[in-house]
Amino acid sequence: MHELPKLPYAKDALAPYISEETLDYHYSKHHQKYVDEVNRLLEGSTLENNTLEQVVLNSDGALFNNAAQAWNHNIYWECMSPNKTPMPQTMDHAISESFGSYEAFLHQFKQASLKHFGSGWVWLVVDSTGRLSITSTVNAGTPLTDHMSVALACDVWEHAYYLDTRNDRGSYIDNFFQVVNWDYVSHLAFSTSSPG
Ligand code: MN
């Protein structure tokens, strides 16, 4: 049985950037539904006792869509925090090396989010040399299947922001970066262990 992981903060903790109502629906309804569907679809399947990551890598169709969405959201929640901490030096350095500056990185990430058509995700990924790049995936798509290491996940499905900023995805991206947990992102990017 796969379980909805505990949210690492209270549902109102990211307000005013991400509202309690958005977090409540996004986590308790959308994410929960993906997990429930994974469990339902896995019943009697050969992948039943596999990790979520293995299910993502070895499935297609509805099972892939729900498993990948469950996995993507697990990362997404951890990428945010109400506690603002300074960016770790390793990440700061990698961003400068890869994008020129933090401002240039933000601009590029926001442009990728705005240009992404329809539902999906925008990611910061890292290659084996430590170089960062921005990529996006459609619907449940995930860098996991391309064997890319994820550093940061940003959900750009309308359910992630429509209650807060309506059709203004750009303002959601601005809000998202007010609550990014750079300690976690840096850990994910530069530690060798893979995320759950
Ligand atoms: Mn979502």
Side-chain angles (χ1 to χ4, degrees):
M1 277 293 270
H2 295 274
E3 278 175 23
L4 182 68
K6 198 172 150 29
L7 202 59
Y9 33 75
K11 284 177 187 165
D12 62 355
L14 303 180
Y17 303 110
I18 308 283
S19 70
E20 180 176 9
E21 190 182 15
T22 290
L23 263 189
D24 188 32
Y25 272 80
H26 198 174
Y27 171 76
S28 313
K29 309 273 186 214
H30 291 275
H31 194 178
Q32 180 72 64
K33 181 77 189 295
Y34 296 130
V35 175
D36 291 347
E37 282 297 290
V38 168
N39 287 325
R40 191 181 66 80
L41 293 164
L42 275 177
E43 266 176 53
S45 141
T46 50
L47 296 170
E48 200 167 3
N49 298 314
N50 288 19
T51 64
L52 187 59
E53 203 167 311
Q54 288 170 326
V55 174
V56 172
L57 291 171
N58 294 291
S59 63
D60 55 18
L63 180 55
F64 170 82
N65 285 335
N66 284 284
Q69 278 295 80
W71 190 87
N72 291 348
H73 283 87
N74 289 353
I75 306 288
Y76 175 66
W77 304 127
E78 295 289 343
C79 284
M80 297 185 284
S81 167
N83 309 314
K84 224 177 164 85
T85 51
M87 186 180 295
Q89 218 173 351
T90 327
M91 180 51 80
D92 190 49
H93 184 71
I95 285 179
S96 299
E97 286 283 301
S98 306
F99 302 100
S101 66
Y102 179 71
E103 289 67 34
F105 155 71
L106 270 191
H107 179 76
Q108 208 175 308
F109 198 97
K110 193 169 173 178
Q111 286 309 113
S113 308
L114 293 173
K115 282 182 190 150
H116 184 86
F117 190 81
S119 296
W121 295 79
V122 178
W123 309 85
L124 182 64
V125 293
V126 59
D127 70 18
S128 56
T129 68
R131 194 162 186 88
L132 300 166
S133 60
I134 293 162
T135 189
S136 68
T137 56
V138 176
N139 295 332
T142 176
L144 190 59
T145 51
D146 293 321
H147 304 284
M148 285 194 277
S149 293
V150 169
L152 173 70
C154 183
D155 190 342
V156 298
W157 283 59
E158 283 184 346
H159 67 224
Y161 61 88
Y162 214 82
L163 293 171
D164 293 344
T165 66
R166 303 295 170 181
N167 59 324
D168 184 0
R169 186 182 282 176
S171 290
Y172 158 65
I173 301 301
D174 293 340
N175 289 338
F176 173 74
F177 277 100
Q178 292 295 321
V179 291
V180 166
N181 182 348
W182 286 108
D183 279 336
Y184 176 78
V185 171
S186 188
H187 178 78
L188 202 52
F190 303 117
S191 84
T192 48
S193 63
S194 78

